[in-house]
Amino acid sequence: MPIILPYDDENIRRAAEDLRAGGVVAFATETVYGLGADTFNPDAVRRIYELKGRPLDNPLIAHVVDAVAAKPLVTEWDHRCDKLASRFWPGPLTMILPRRPEVPRESVAGLGTIAVRSPIHPLARSLLYAFGGPISAPSANRSGHVSPTTAQHVADDFPEAAQLLVLDGGLAGFGIESTVVDLTGDEVTVLRPGTVTLEQIRRALGRATAVVGVEQGIAPGTSAMHYAPRRPASVVPAARLVEALASSPAAAAVLCLTPSLVQPPHQSIVMPSDPEGYARRLYQALREADQVRVERIVIEEPPERDGIWIAIHDRLARAARRGADG
Ligand code: TXA
Ligand code: MG
């Protein structure tokens, strides 16, 4: 099993040494746990892909302490980047920009662009400071599985990675992956919705900048197979929940907002009704649903569709689409 380490100075130093020696380290961020390596060490980065079973054409996010540390990775940093960084960094926003040629191809899956993000979680920041350079890190789950929001989730996904250090920063407070925005064109495109919302990005950039959202499946790595639990899952509105549960004898774990609609043999996992709480709990709940003795997962569809709920609906659709997309 991987080695779960509590967050203290000594363990941060130990993990930073691992990174300097070309190792891979898992660590808490405010969104989900990351599986990190030195951005400038192609062999170390390759090891991330091996561990995760990640397709080689899916690029990684480089984590940096701040905008000053991001600039050496990119060729263009304009007023839009300044506005977004000053409003949302450190925090759960990732910017895609043209990359410098010195960045190894392995870290960006051969693309001419790079994703950069400055996390706000104190553990992630301590690790970045101790290491002293950018850390490339995807979510610390096996490729295609639900992202991890606790250290134990990471250990559960990599039971055979005996030397893997997992820096434990508790339950990830935001709970879903960062908002990804593409700034390589005149329009700003939100490739992956997150807890930094389209509205907030529009407000930060001002009316002169066009900001558009994108349908799922366009950005590399945003394929519908991502973030799926192991059991088949479906998303059902409250009005059809009783009928959907009665339609099959197979017991279901139900991520519900209205527990009174769920009766044995089905098992309810009650979700918070506020979007921040729902997002924080979602991946943990999906992993719990995979562990109880049921054959399927049913998710009561949250009725709201604005703000952070957009990102939640995106992740629910991905969780439910696994079967359909193979
Ligand atoms: O919150 C997060 O973003 C977490 C934590 C660990 O920071 N990381 C994360 O990484 O979710 P990952 O690899 O699971 O998701 C990164 C997403 C993928 O969909 C990837 O395809 C996209 O960002 N991405 C990365 N670099 C890109 C690039 N140069 N162009 C387009 N998309 C890119
Ligand atoms: Mg991921």
Side-chain angles (χ1 to χ4, degrees):
M1 284 299 272
I3 305 158
I4 295 180
L5 298 174
Y7 173 27
D8 62 31
D9 288 350
E10 196 196 317
N11 288 332
I12 291 287
R13 264 200 303 276
R14 181 172 164 191
E17 267 164 36
D18 250 30
L19 291 174
R20 273 191 288 274
V24 170
V25 165
F27 60 99
T29 86
E30 70 277 17
T31 55
V32 300
Y33 277 64
L35 193 61
D38 177 356
T39 299
F40 286 97
N41 184 333
D43 290 333
V45 168
R46 242 179 258 125
R47 176 106 178 88
I48 296 178
Y49 283 86
E50 280 166 23
L51 260 175
K52 278 188 63 109
R54 183 176 176 100
L56 291 172
D57 61 356
N58 193 352
L60 306 179
I61 297 174
H63 295 71
V64 292
V65 281
D66 55 20
V68 173
K71 287 175 189 175
L73 300 175
V74 304
T75 55
E76 283 162 40
W77 182 278
D78 62 16
H79 63 284
R80 303 174 306 174
C81 303
D82 277 332
K83 283 182 182 162
L84 292 179
S86 64
R87 172 73 181 79
F88 301 113
W89 277 12
L93 181 84
T94 296
M95 295 191 232
I96 310 235
L97 292 163
R99 74 165 165 100
R100 294 219 186 174
E102 304 89 276
V103 177
R105 307 172 40 104
E106 285 78 0
S107 303
V108 291
L111 295 179
T113 56
I114 186 166
V116 285
R117 160 166 129 75
S118 178
I120 195 168
H121 196 297
L123 186 154
R125 299 190 66 72
S126 308
L127 183 64
L128 283 165
Y129 280 114
F131 176 60
I135 300 175
S136 288
S139 50
N141 51 280
R142 263 196 211 283
S143 184
H145 195 214
V146 178
S147 292
T149 51
T150 68
Q152 189 59 50
H153 291 166
V154 180
D156 290 345
D157 267 23
F158 301 101
E160 76 298 342
Q163 298 307 313
L164 177 68
L165 303 184
V166 184
L167 290 169
D168 188 349
L171 179 68
F174 287 83
I176 57 174
E177 305 82 354
S178 62
T179 305
V180 178
V181 293
D182 185 343
L183 291 143
T184 57
D186 290 339
E187 257 178 8
V188 175
T189 308
V190 176
L191 299 179
R192 179 173 72 183
T195 51
V196 171
T197 65
L198 195 64
E199 266 328 295
Q200 288 177 310
I201 293 168
R202 287 204 170 112
R203 229 176 299 137
L205 290 174
R207 245 183 273 158
T209 310
V211 183
V212 296
V214 125
E215 291 301 313
Q216 293 161 32
I218 293 187
T222 56
S223 78
M225 268 296 285
H226 269 63
Y227 324 121
R230 301 193 199 283
R231 302 232 166 85
S234 57
V235 183
V236 178
R240 291 215 315 272
L241 189 58
V242 171
E243 177 198 341
L245 290 175
S247 70
S248 157
V254 188
L255 271 59
C256 61
L257 295 158
T258 324
S260 60
L261 298 176
V262 183
Q263 303 297 334
H266 308 299
Q267 296 191 35
S268 59
I269 296 176
V270 183
M271 298 299 292
S273 54
D274 64 301
E276 291 84 3
Y278 195 105
R280 184 181 307 122
R281 178 87 175 97
L282 177 60
Y283 289 150
Q284 198 181 32
L286 284 173
R287 282 172 179 259
E288 280 168 25
D290 257 344
Q291 270 162 12
V292 293
R293 287 168 166 270
V294 294
E295 284 149 67
R296 57 189 176 129
I297 300 171
V298 175
I299 302 162
E300 178 183 343
E301 187 171 55
E304 292 94 335
R305 295 205 159 259
D306 58 337
I308 296 175
W309 289 111
I310 294 173
I312 292 170
H313 282 285
D314 169 77
R315 303 311 192 275
L316 294 181
R318 292 164 195 269
R321 209 171 296 162
R322 182 186 179 80
D325 287 82

